[in-house]
């Protein structure tokens, strides 16, 4: 990819890795980020990178991108529930603004959607054809329904205006670059254990997630953006290796060589009981499959958090 690329939310956790990969490919990258959860310092100083602080719902002039990666939205439950109206606006109205920009410029749009469109799924693994099981008025709805509204809009812009759009349904992603206050489970467990604290487990800890290393995820996003015949595709991107939160806590304690200490908390409302991607479509369309095993990925993430905490 060597042309002009816009990455909204480019200073966030996934965004920073995507931006570095695009720069390495020779792209000229513009990042639009309101820096609410993202950080400018997460991005390099590079003559081919322009960072614009602004809101995706009312974007300033962003030039003439050929490709838009629309990542702007808080994605950690603690962050997206802290400002639920802002979250819904970023997810739904932000996508509307990016679709309008794509219409004006002729850009291709790659949407960061989410496994949360499946809600608390009644089937496992979740394939793209599953329509989901979402509480439309619960505390997660701002994110889940915002992202679902975005997918509906994208489908209609494609039907009505013929835009070239692609949707990645991103499952739980982790890795170096996560902020210590990220609030998601991998960041919490590692930082708590490194500080000698007990790991906070919500509910009985038997709920499952499937964790994808950010390096694998970015490869998938790039492949989805690059392919010429992928217009209209919706693709799960995630690692199918499923694990309970209790087992995750055990793995992290073992990797750190510390005794397992758990702080059992009440279950979070509407917390999905299980989550595991069916990645048959990603394999077939993109030739994509995750390569980083949890053990290797956790070791790299622990090293990252050790360095961040040591730096204060
Ligand atoms: N979780 C937990 N302790 C924490 C943070 C999260 O037990 O400190 C649980 C949470 O209830 C959920 C799972 O870990 O079942 C994944 O939560 P996360 O916030 O990472 O992402 P989600 O997949 O829910 O968006």
């Amino acid at each position: 990819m060597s042309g002009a690329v816009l990455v909204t939310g480019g200073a966030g956790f996934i965004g920073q890795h995507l931006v570095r990969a695009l720069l390495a490919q020779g792209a000229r990258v513009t990042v639009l980020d309101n820096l609410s959860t993202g950080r400018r310092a997460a991005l390099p100083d590079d003559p081919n990178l322009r960072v614009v602080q602004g809101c995706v719902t009312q974007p300033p002039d962003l030039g003439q991108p050929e490709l838009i990666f629309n990542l702007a939205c808080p994605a950690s439950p603690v962050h997206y529930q802290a400002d639920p109206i802002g979250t819904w606006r970023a997810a739904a109205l932000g996508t509307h603004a990016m679709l309008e920009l794509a219409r004006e410029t002729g850009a291709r749009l790659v949407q960061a959607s989410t496994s949360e469109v499946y809600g608390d799924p009644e089937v496992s693994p979740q394939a793209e054809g599953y329509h989901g099981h979402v509480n439309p008025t619960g505390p997660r709805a701002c994110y889940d329904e915002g992202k679902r509204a975005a997918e509906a809009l994208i489908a209609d812009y494609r039907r009505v205006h013929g835009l070239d759009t692609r949707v990645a349904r991103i499952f739980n992603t982790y890795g170096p670059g996560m902020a210590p206050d990220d609030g998601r489970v991998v960041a919490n467990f590692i930082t708590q254990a490194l500080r000698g604290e007990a790991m906070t487990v919500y509910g009985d800890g038997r709920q499952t997630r499937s964790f994808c290393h950010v390096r694998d995820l970015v490869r998938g996003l790039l492949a989805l953006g690059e392919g010429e015949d992928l217009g209209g595709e919706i693709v799960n991107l995630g690692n199918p290796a499923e694990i309970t939160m209790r087992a995750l806590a055990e793995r992290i304690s073992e990797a750190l060589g510390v005794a397992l200490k758990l702080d059992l908390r009440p279950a979070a409302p509407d917390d999905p009981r299980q989550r595991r991607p069916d990645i048959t479509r990603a394999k077939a369309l993109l030739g994509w499959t995750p390569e980083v095993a949890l053990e290797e990925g956790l070791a790299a993430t622990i090293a990252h958090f050790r360095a961040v905490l040591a730096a204060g």
Side-chain angles (χ1 to χ4, degrees):
M1 223 163 284
S2 57
V5 182
L6 169 64
V7 183
T8 76
F13 166 52
I14 293 175
Q16 62 183 275
H17 290 276
L18 177 64
V19 167
R20 283 175 198 276
L22 288 165
L23 289 169
Q25 291 185 351
R28 283 171 291 112
V29 181
T30 299
V31 163
L32 173 67
D33 201 303
N34 69 0
L35 302 180
S36 64
T37 57
R39 291 173 308 115
R40 174 62 184 88
L43 293 169
D45 289 319
D46 187 302
N48 286 319
L49 173 63
R50 175 178 162 232
V51 181
V52 179
Q53 185 171 0
C55 184
V56 69
T57 60
Q58 287 174 309
D61 182 8
L62 296 164
Q64 294 280 322
E66 293 155 53
L67 175 61
I68 302 169
F69 285 96
N70 186 33
L71 274 55
C73 189
S76 166
V78 281
H79 293 147
Y80 70 64
Q81 291 174 24
D83 178 14
I85 297 169
T87 297
W88 190 90
R89 287 177 57 86
L93 304 184
T95 299
H96 181 248
M98 288 306 112
L99 286 163
E100 280 296 313
L101 181 63
R103 191 156 79 95
E104 282 160 25
T105 59
R108 174 182 292 175
L109 182 126
V110 177
Q111 171 73 357
S113 190
T114 169
S115 55
E116 288 282 332
V117 301
Y118 303 124
D120 185 11
E122 301 143 302
V123 300
S124 184
Q126 295 85 51
E128 292 85 349
Y130 178 51
H131 290 175
H133 180 227
V134 174
N135 176 354
T137 56
R140 298 176 86 99
C142 57
Y143 186 69
D144 300 11
E145 296 292 7
K147 289 287 188 177
R148 286 169 67 96
E151 285 204 24
L153 261 180
I154 289 167
D156 282 332
Y157 263 74
R158 181 169 172 76
R159 282 189 283 259
V160 174
H161 297 298
L163 295 196
D164 181 348
T165 60
R166 295 111 194 262
V167 172
R169 292 192 180 144
I170 299 173
F171 284 63
N172 295 66
T173 304
Y174 73 102
M178 292 186 107
D181 65 352
D182 179 278
R184 282 173 288 194
V185 66
V186 172
N188 278 6
F189 283 1
I190 293 176
T191 54
Q192 288 161 347
L194 284 174
R195 291 177 173 133
E197 298 165 5
M199 298 182 203
T200 50
V201 174
Y202 304 148
D204 61 12
R206 287 189 299 168
Q207 68 272 37
T208 69
R209 295 292 187 273
S210 306
F211 293 99
C212 185
H213 192 274
V214 67
R215 190 166 75 227
D216 283 331
L217 197 273
V218 164
R219 257 194 316 111
L221 283 177
L222 290 171
L224 189 58
E226 277 161 8
E228 283 310 314
D229 307 321
L230 299 175
E233 296 292 354
I234 298 175
V235 182
N236 285 340
L237 292 179
N239 190 322
E242 187 177 14
I243 185 170
T244 67
M245 295 310 97
R246 241 173 212 276
L248 178 69
E250 285 163 13
R251 292 276 194 97
I252 290 173
S253 304
E254 279 161 23
L256 285 166
V258 299
L260 180 67
K261 270 195 288 179
L262 301 182
D263 173 2
L264 300 179
R265 302 276 183 95
D270 293 340
D271 198 3
R273 293 294 306 162
Q274 58 179 351
R275 182 178 294 153
R276 176 176 182 227
D278 180 328
I279 59 167
T280 309
R281 190 178 288 178
K283 281 182 184 161
L285 282 180
L286 311 175
W288 179 83
T289 189
E291 290 167 357
V292 182
L294 188 59
E295 194 179 21
E296 179 193 347
L298 284 179
T301 311
I302 288 169
H304 157 72
F305 277 121
R306 266 194 211 285
V308 171
L309 295 190

